[in-house]
Amino acid sequence: MHVHSLITDSATLANLCARLSEAPFITVDTEFMRESTYWPELCLIQIADTQEAAAIDPKAPGLDMTPLLDLLVNNDAVLKVFHAGGQDIEIIYNLTGKTPHPLFDTQIAAMALGQGEQIGYSNLVDSWLGIQVDKGARFTDWSRRPLDQRQVDYAIGDVTHLSAIFPQMLERLRKTGRGAWLDQEMERLADPAHYANDPDCAWKRVRVSGRKPDMLGRLKALARWRELEAQAKDLPRGRIVKDETLADLAGHPPRKQADLAKVRGLSATWASNDIGGRLMETLEAATPLDADELPARDDRKPGLGREGSLVADLLKLLLKIRARDIDVAPRLLARSDDLEMLAAGVRSGLSVLEGWRFEQFGRDALDLVEGRLGFVVKAGRLKMVRTEDEVA
């Protein structure tokens, strides 16, 4: 494989992208910093096919990134391969308003091949290629320039190894017939709605107890205000106000700005400064949440009760056994919420009762809750048995 020098000019990048646009797949990774900013700061993009690989410096003066971004989000003929790509995809979405499509995530694929729910990149490379990844540059400040060759080599290794792993992984998925198992997960990862950051929806990420419209209305207004403040200052939202403080303000709103000095988690200076004033204006303008915005009481998840909770625990045990038997990550087969709803009597709208999940696990799960399946221990191993077989 030909590995290019760090790309910092538009002509070289355009030529690279023209060649890669003819490849069946490309592997993609990014290096970024986000510890002290609201928006992730893109510092490096690595890209490869089976023939060549390069790192691109998005901070290079005058670099036109258009050909690269077009390749990532406007070329549906090329499959984009990531490993644990959620944050990489978020950065691309922030730049373009689109997500790469079609895409493939090797961490998700590894779930279908019995490699756990969140296998790290180093372990993936070791298991498939027998190569020990040098982790020496892991904690690099990628925003600093110039980057030395060791840093660039480390970064490019992320995509060169991935370009060797992906064809092997794809072949194993074909042999096992598990490729179709991943379609829903990949589509979920590629869904632009997953990365859209609507300030009016920010309140839904803050945990609060209760459904009072006036309290939730204040929370919605405060969360929107915090999001806009964080964006304008390019600071992490927690640097503006932490979630627990936001929830406390929504539940127990101060009567006047001077009272902000008494709020745990806020600086006493907010009692008289501009940001404290904007917070109070937000609270004063807040209106109760509309009825159609109130969080549902989750009728899909009725109360389990004591017996239902025990049934849910049995379903989770069944999930572990089935996942062990077919060598797949349990989370790919079913999620805890689905199991609890199944235990509570829900029989529609559950992914575990549809498609391949039903064939591999859902049918047995349904039989368990409806009394047609049980557990036995034979030769020290926990197994499932049909109750009618035991009766016979």
Side-chain angles (χ1 to χ4, degrees):
M1 177 182 290
H2 175 63
V3 177
H4 296 273
S5 300
L6 180 65
I7 294 179
T8 58
D9 69 280
S10 300
T12 303
L13 178 59
N15 290 334
L16 172 69
C17 292
R19 293 190 301 272
L20 293 178
S21 67
E22 302 298 321
F25 75 89
I26 55 174
T27 54
V28 187
D29 189 37
T30 67
E31 306 298 342
F32 55 89
M33 304 293 290
R34 71 182 311 163
E35 288 82 1
S36 59
T37 61
Y38 179 90
W39 306 104
E41 180 185 3
L42 179 61
C43 301
L44 203 66
I45 301 178
Q46 305 92 271
I47 193 166
D49 63 3
T50 57
Q51 304 299 317
E52 57 184 322
I56 299 111
D57 184 0
K59 300 173 80 66
L63 181 67
D64 181 5
M65 296 272 287
T66 304
L68 176 60
L69 297 176
D70 281 345
L71 173 62
L72 293 175
V73 302
N74 294 326
N75 188 331
D76 287 347
V78 179
L79 179 68
K80 293 83 180 177
V81 180
F82 297 82
H83 179 79
Q87 294 189 87
D88 305 312
I89 295 166
E90 177 193 358
I91 289 172
I92 295 167
Y93 176 85
N94 288 342
L95 291 172
T96 66
K98 299 179 181 179
T99 59
H101 194 273
L103 62 78
F104 184 96
D105 191 300
T106 53
Q107 187 178 72
I108 294 174
M111 293 169 62
L113 298 173
Q115 292 192 279
E117 296 188 353
Q118 289 185 317
I119 186 172
Y121 181 73
S122 297
N123 289 335
L124 186 83
V125 173
D126 187 21
S127 65
W128 286 87
L129 303 179
I131 295 173
Q132 302 292 318
V133 174
D134 177 10
K135 301 179 181 179
R138 255 190 321 172
F139 301 109
T140 287
D141 181 349
W142 294 103
S143 65
R144 291 187 179 179
R145 294 297 183 269
L147 296 170
D148 62 39
Q149 192 57 46
R150 180 169 176 265
Q151 292 172 310
V152 175
D153 290 344
Y154 168 85
I156 290 180
D158 287 347
V159 289
T160 55
H161 295 324
L162 210 56
S163 68
I165 292 170
F166 170 68
Q168 296 181 41
M169 185 172 274
L170 191 61
E171 182 60 25
R172 190 176 298 180
L173 287 168
R174 285 172 177 158
K175 286 182 177 179
T176 58
R178 297 183 176 186
W181 295 10
L182 303 173
D183 292 345
Q184 186 180 23
E185 301 299 320
M186 299 302 180
E187 288 300 318
R188 183 183 292 116
L189 184 65
D191 183 0
H194 186 64
Y195 306 97
N197 203 354
D198 183 354
D200 285 325
C201 295
W203 67 278
K204 297 177 182 178
R205 294 193 297 263
V206 182
R207 291 186 179 183
V208 291
S209 58
R211 298 176 70 255
K212 293 182 178 179
D214 55 343
M215 183 271 288
L216 291 178
R218 289 191 293 269
L219 180 65
K220 179 179 179 180
L222 286 170
R224 182 181 190 278
W225 164 81
R226 180 180 69 169
E227 209 72 11
L228 296 176
E229 290 276 350
Q231 290 176 4
K233 294 178 171 61
D234 196 18
L235 289 172
R237 59 180 66 89
R239 292 267 192 96
I240 305 296
V241 182
K242 293 187 181 301
D243 280 5
E244 53 267 30
T245 303
L246 208 67
D248 187 44
L249 287 166
H252 306 90
R255 295 183 178 181
K256 54 186 183 297
Q257 186 173 349
D259 293 338
L260 294 178
K262 306 173 186 177
V263 176
R264 183 177 179 180
L266 295 184
S267 167
T269 60
W270 283 39
S272 58
N273 65 11
D274 289 346
I275 192 170
R278 292 194 295 273
L279 186 154
M280 291 303 299
E281 289 173 2
T282 299
L283 276 173
E284 291 163 6
T287 58
L289 204 65
D290 292 339
D292 59 356
E293 283 192 279
L294 287 173
R297 293 186 182 277
D298 207 353
D299 294 332
R300 295 179 66 239
K301 188 178 178 182
L304 286 175
R306 181 178 299 176
E307 294 301 317
S309 295
L310 291 175
V311 173
D313 288 341
L314 288 176
L315 283 170
K316 292 170 185 177
L317 176 59
L318 176 65
L319 176 62
K320 289 182 179 179
I321 294 172
R322 186 60 179 152
R324 176 201 67 191
D325 290 346
I326 65 174
D327 196 22
V328 66
R331 190 165 64 90
L332 190 62
L333 284 174
R335 298 177 185 272
S336 293
D337 284 353
D338 275 0
L339 299 184
E340 291 175 3
M341 286 188 279
L342 189 63
V346 177
R347 296 293 182 269
S348 62
L350 303 181
S351 61
V352 73
L353 298 181
E354 300 171 353
W356 69 269
R357 287 184 173 88
F358 178 72
E359 296 299 324
Q360 296 296 326
F361 173 70
R363 179 181 285 111
D364 286 343
L366 197 58
D367 285 346
L368 177 64
V369 298
E370 295 181 353
R372 296 184 294 273
L373 192 71
F375 297 102
V376 296
V377 177
K378 291 186 178 181
R381 189 177 177 88
L382 192 62
K383 295 184 177 182
M384 302 172 290
V385 296
R386 298 287 161 186
T387 54
E388 57 267 28
D389 295 341
E390 289 298 296
V391 171

